[in-house]
Amino acid sequence: MVKSRIPAPRRSLLLGASALLGTSALLVACGAQGSPSAAGDAAHRPAVPSASTGTTGAAGGTPSVAARPTPGEGTETPAAPDRTPEPSASSTAPASPHASPTPSAPRTTAVPSQPSGSPAGSTAATPSQPSSHAPATGVLRHTASGGRTVALTFDDGPGPATGQVLDLLAQYGAKATFCEIGDNAKTRPAAVQRILAEGHRLCDHTVDHPQPMHTRPHEQQVAEIADAKSMIENAAGNSPTITWWRAPGGDFTAENERIGADLGMKSLGWTVDPRDWSRPGVQAIVSNVQQNLRPGGVVLMHDGGGDRSQTVAALKQLLPWMVAQGYAFDFPQS
Ligand SMILES: [Zn+2]
């Protein structure tokens, strides 16, 4: 029940709807593979000029975009939702260049580190190397079911646009994963509860989106991840199971991956990053996703971090397009 495939009848209806919406959405076929910039949650991170290289390949089936450095991943600027300046502004994101995790490792199935210490006592449990920059090795970048599925992920919320995103997802029978910032979850518990009530899942995106994360003291990284998990759980009110966490800007390292693992969460990356947080224009967002999405891919978008009107408008085109392309909506591999 993880996946939410759209029932045949409904799909056909959707197809019809998409046709009505305009062929423009159908013009772009997959396969192109431009060099997305994928990198990262980069979202928020303007800079990363070249970093944008591509999606992080993982997509199961078609690796087409092969060698993507993934440097980008480390790029998302704080975008902390409502509080952060925003994209363009911060262009120079300090972001973690280095964070190029999983260069080639596509679908990392298993979990990175081993459960060492106790889940709870992570703080104490995570010993060694403070801020080690060891590259991450277990970042997940694939849907749970594989095949022609896509996992939509929305970061930095909940925010003012979360309701619109949820409305659209409901319209298309799509399920998504929301990587929430602890402070925002605490501020908008109703949104967190609605997300769960409508069948979506939650992901820990730290308390306040520190960037770059890997340079923070070990204890701070533990607190950012552990406290956010608690804040999101408290906002949800019903002890939801949170099985993923995503580092701001995709700044994963072996160190923080271990912290997340000790808390029972896997590191969640992505394969397609349209950089919607930088508000590149609706068509730019749409085209990026259409060109870079591959079966089993994980799309990074944002429901928080500032004005998300472009994201919402793009989603209105992308959801029917995905349905028309035969994609079923799934959750990330876990
Ligand atoms: Zn983020």
Side-chain angles (χ1 to χ4, degrees):
M1 64 184 299
V2 181
K3 17 177 24 181
S4 56
R5 292 188 183 263
I6 299 176
R10 181 163 190 179
R11 181 173 290 183
S12 57
L13 289 176
L14 294 173
L15 288 171
S18 62
L20 292 175
L21 287 175
T23 45
S24 59
L26 303 174
L27 294 176
V28 187
C30 301
Q33 97 178 64
S35 43
S37 39
D41 188 356
H44 330 289
R45 111 126 356 55
V48 197
S50 38
S52 18
T53 346
T55 4
T56 332
T62 354
S64 19
V65 199
R68 302 119 172 224
T70 326
E73 276 227 335
T75 16
E76 159 178 51
T77 330
D82 324 68
R83 38 167 83 219
T84 326
E86 259 296 34
S88 35
S90 45
S91 350
T92 336
S96 30
H98 64 71
S100 40
T102 352
S104 47
R107 38 162 91 197
T108 333
T109 315
V111 195
S113 34
Q114 314 163 320
S116 55
S118 56
S122 44
T123 316
T126 352
S128 47
Q129 330 216 353
S131 28
S132 56
H133 293 196
T137 57
V139 180
L140 301 172
R141 308 174 201 282
H142 202 275
T143 60
S145 306
R148 203 162 182 77
T149 60
V150 55
L152 299 177
T153 65
F154 294 93
D155 286 16
D156 301 348
T162 302
Q164 291 174 282
V165 170
L166 288 171
D167 289 345
L168 284 170
L169 293 176
Q171 184 182 339
Y172 290 95
K175 299 304 179 200
T177 299
F178 290 78
C179 295
E180 304 191 319
I181 290 179
D183 283 344
N184 292 348
K186 183 177 182 180
T187 303
R188 298 173 183 275
V192 179
Q193 291 160 24
R194 183 184 166 191
I195 285 170
L196 288 174
E198 297 186 2
H200 305 292
R201 295 190 183 178
L202 299 172
C203 163
D204 175 337
H205 199 36
T206 74
V207 172
D208 55 9
H209 214 276
Q211 281 188 283
M213 185 164 185
H214 75 281
T215 59
R216 308 303 165 103
H218 182 76
E219 311 64 49
Q220 185 182 339
Q221 293 190 58
V222 171
E224 283 284 350
I225 301 170
D227 293 353
K229 185 170 186 284
S230 297
M231 294 167 83
I232 295 169
E233 290 172 340
N234 290 336
N238 62 347
S239 304
T241 300
I242 299 177
T243 59
W244 304 284
W245 84 281
R246 176 175 278 167
D251 190 6
F252 290 112
T253 59
E255 177 187 20
N256 59 39
E257 273 195 89
R258 168 53 69 94
I259 295 171
D262 286 346
L263 290 165
M265 301 183 288
K266 296 178 176 63
S267 299
L268 178 58
W270 58 81
T271 62
V272 182
D273 174 12
R275 298 169 67 81
D276 63 310
W277 57 271
S278 67
R279 298 197 288 264
V282 177
Q283 282 313 309
I285 295 171
V286 170
S287 296
N288 187 303
V289 174
Q290 293 180 328
Q291 292 175 8
N292 297 297
L293 178 62
R294 301 288 182 278
V298 179
V299 179
L300 167 66
M301 293 182 86
H302 296 75
D303 64 319
D307 180 0
R308 292 281 74 86
S309 57
Q310 288 187 12
T311 298
V312 171
L315 202 55
K316 286 180 182 174
Q317 293 184 51
L318 288 169
L319 286 169
W321 176 79
M322 288 173 179
V323 171
Q325 291 293 312
Y327 278 97
F329 300 100
D330 196 5
F331 291 108
Q333 184 178 60
S334 64

